[in-house]
């Protein structure tokens, strides 16, 4: 494929989806990510699109939201790996909320075999994925159906969440930055996501690497509220993704990174919640270390105690010697 044809196809994909990862662009145009990155730079120089961490977006600073048909075909391997890893953070008998999105839909498929689980959701796709799970109770919010992502939104959805308390909330969005946290392009969706967050003790964000560093119009979850980010392994040469991940970790977000390679193993997280889905054989979990208090060197405290005891012993011996001289 000639460069002009390749760049036209890249431009059409970005216009159709609002934001596309370099990995996905390379797969569609059947070339390397290095070549795609060069094409994206050329298109950016012409003002036709903007580069973002690991991808390309429509020009203008904020990405617009893609519809479900477009999203469902983007970063499918990454979403699978993220969902496999995220399912391991769900325990038997828990009550959780799961927001709308194609990544959370993948997660729901893997939660179908978690005994005693209760899932509260505003997503028809999540509910559908769990519809035949006999051991999972599904509670849907009220609200008005938003057809572009099959989610219930509006005051009805928000009011139905009042007074609710669950252990964890699993959410995705359109962008994630260390500065603003998770964001989305739709005001109604953002408002319901904020209500879901208020109901949970912990907030787990599911976002593939192409969303890192991407900022969209409406903030849903501030960075200081996010407990954990589950993401995929960014390209080795993408220093900006690594910088964004470190910035999130510096603000207290626990980072779990999943590999996106294929190959079924039949294993899953600690609760066995594979839901009949295969788990990538090379799936990895890497928790980025967070800054914390300096740890004491093993044995140091015991050494200090021994030294103090020896000092007390010597002092006692000296006092006894002085008392003996006085008696003489």
């Amino acid at each position: 494929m000639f460069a002009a044809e390749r760049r036209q196809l890249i431009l059409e994909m970005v216009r159709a989806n609002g934001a596309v990862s370099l990995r996905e662009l390379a797969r569609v145009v059947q070339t390397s990510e290095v070549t795609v990155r060069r094409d994206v730079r050329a298109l950016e120089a012409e003002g036709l699109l903007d580069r973002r961490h690991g991808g390309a977006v429509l020009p203008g600073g904020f990405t617009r939201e893609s519809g479900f048909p477009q999203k469902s075909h983007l970063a499918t391997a990454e979403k699978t790996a993220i969902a496999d890893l995220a399912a391991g953070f769900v325990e038997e008998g828990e009550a959780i909320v799961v927001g709308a999105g194609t990544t959370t839909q993948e997660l729901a498929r893997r939660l179908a075999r978690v005994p005693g689980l209760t899932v509260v959701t505003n997503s028809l796709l999540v509910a559908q994925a769990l519809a035949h799970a006999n051991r999972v109770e599904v509670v849907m919010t009220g609200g008005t159906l938003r057809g572009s992502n099959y989610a219930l939104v509006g005051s009805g959805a928000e009011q139905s969440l009042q007074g609710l308390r669950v252990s964890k909330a699993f959410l995705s969005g359109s962008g994630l930055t260390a500065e603003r946290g998770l964001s989305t392009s739709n005001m109604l969706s953002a408002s319901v996501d904020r209500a879901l967050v208020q109901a949970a003790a912990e907030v787990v964000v599911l976002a593939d690497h192409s969303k890192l560093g991407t900022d969209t119009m409406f903030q849903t979850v501030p960075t200081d509220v996010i407990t954990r980010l589950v993401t995929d392994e960014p390209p080795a040469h993408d220093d900006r993704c690594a910088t964004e991940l470190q910035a999130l970790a510096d603000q207290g977000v626990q980072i779990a990174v999943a590999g996106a390679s294929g190959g079924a193993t039949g294993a899953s997280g600690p609760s066995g919640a594979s839901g009949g889905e295969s788990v990538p054989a090379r799936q990895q979990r890497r928790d980025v270390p967070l800054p914390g208090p300096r740890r004491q060197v093993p044995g140091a405290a015991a050494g200090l105690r021994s030294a103090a005891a020896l000092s007390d012993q010597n002092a006692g011996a000296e006092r006894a010697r002085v008392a003996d001289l006085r008696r003489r």
Side-chain angles (χ1 to χ4, degrees):
M1 184 182 296
F2 294 110
E5 297 175 340
R6 193 171 59 240
R7 290 173 186 175
Q8 181 60 35
L9 181 55
I10 290 172
L11 186 58
E12 289 175 358
M13 286 186 64
V14 174
R15 284 174 174 170
N17 299 290
V20 187
S21 69
L22 292 178
R23 187 176 295 172
E24 185 68 15
L25 290 172
R27 185 187 68 79
V28 172
V29 300
Q30 298 182 347
T31 187
S32 68
E33 288 187 33
V34 174
T35 301
V36 166
R37 184 177 292 103
R38 187 163 54 244
D39 291 334
V40 168
R41 285 174 180 164
L43 292 168
E44 183 183 42
E46 297 178 28
L48 298 174
L49 51 75
D50 290 340
R51 284 185 297 160
R52 286 293 183 271
H53 297 187
V57 302
L58 290 175
F62 294 104
T63 62
R64 68 173 176 84
E65 186 179 32
S66 305
F68 171 76
Q70 292 81 21
K71 285 183 178 180
S72 62
H73 294 95
L74 294 176
T76 53
E78 291 86 347
K79 292 173 184 176
T80 297
I82 290 169
D84 286 332
L85 181 54
F89 295 114
V90 180
E91 302 292 338
E92 295 184 11
E94 273 195 297
I96 63 174
V97 295
V98 180
T102 52
T103 310
T104 52
Q105 179 189 24
E106 288 296 322
L107 171 64
R109 290 170 177 158
R110 287 149 180 79
L111 299 179
R113 294 185 180 177
V114 182
L117 186 65
T118 300
V119 177
V120 181
T121 185
N122 69 319
S123 169
L124 298 186
L125 299 176
V126 169
Q128 182 184 39
L130 295 169
H132 300 291
N134 295 329
R135 294 179 289 179
V136 178
E137 182 179 0
V138 179
V139 179
M140 295 209 66
T141 68
T144 303
L145 178 62
R146 184 166 179 260
S148 62
N149 64 345
Y150 299 94
L152 296 171
V153 297
S155 60
E158 295 171 37
Q159 290 173 9
S160 66
L161 293 166
Q162 291 180 0
L164 181 71
R165 193 62 175 169
V166 298
S167 59
K168 299 182 183 75
F170 291 85
L171 300 175
S172 60
S174 302
L176 177 65
T177 66
E179 181 180 0
R180 289 187 73 218
L182 189 67
S183 62
T184 188
S185 303
N186 182 265
M187 181 174 63
L188 294 175
S189 295
S191 186
V192 174
D193 282 351
R194 285 192 289 267
L196 292 172
V197 167
Q198 291 175 359
E202 298 179 16
V203 177
V204 182
V205 170
L206 313 182
D208 66 78
H209 76 273
S210 67
K211 296 178 181 178
L212 294 175
T214 298
D215 203 1
T216 52
M217 190 171 294
F218 299 99
Q219 183 192 56
T220 56
V221 190
T223 306
D224 60 357
V225 177
I226 300 173
T227 307
R228 177 180 282 112
L229 165 65
V230 184
T231 187
D232 64 296
E233 187 76 41
H237 50 266
D238 195 339
D239 295 334
R240 291 178 298 180
C241 273
T243 300
E244 196 71 43
L245 285 174
Q246 187 58 56
L248 287 164
D250 290 342
Q251 295 194 45
V253 179
Q254 300 172 41
I255 312 292
V257 180
S261 301
T265 64
S268 63
S271 61
S274 64
E277 302 286 340
S278 61
V279 178
R282 291 176 56 194
Q283 176 177 305
Q284 307 172 31
R285 172 178 169 183
R286 189 180 76 237
D287 291 323
V288 175
L290 302 179
R294 187 187 301 273
R295 290 182 298 175
Q296 197 171 42
V297 177
L304 289 173
R305 286 194 297 270
S306 298
L310 181 60
S311 177
D312 290 343
Q313 182 180 358
N314 291 339
E318 182 63 21
R319 286 195 297 270
R321 189 178 69 82
V322 171
D324 184 58
L325 288 175
R326 286 176 178 174
R327 285 194 297 272
R328 292 178 183 177

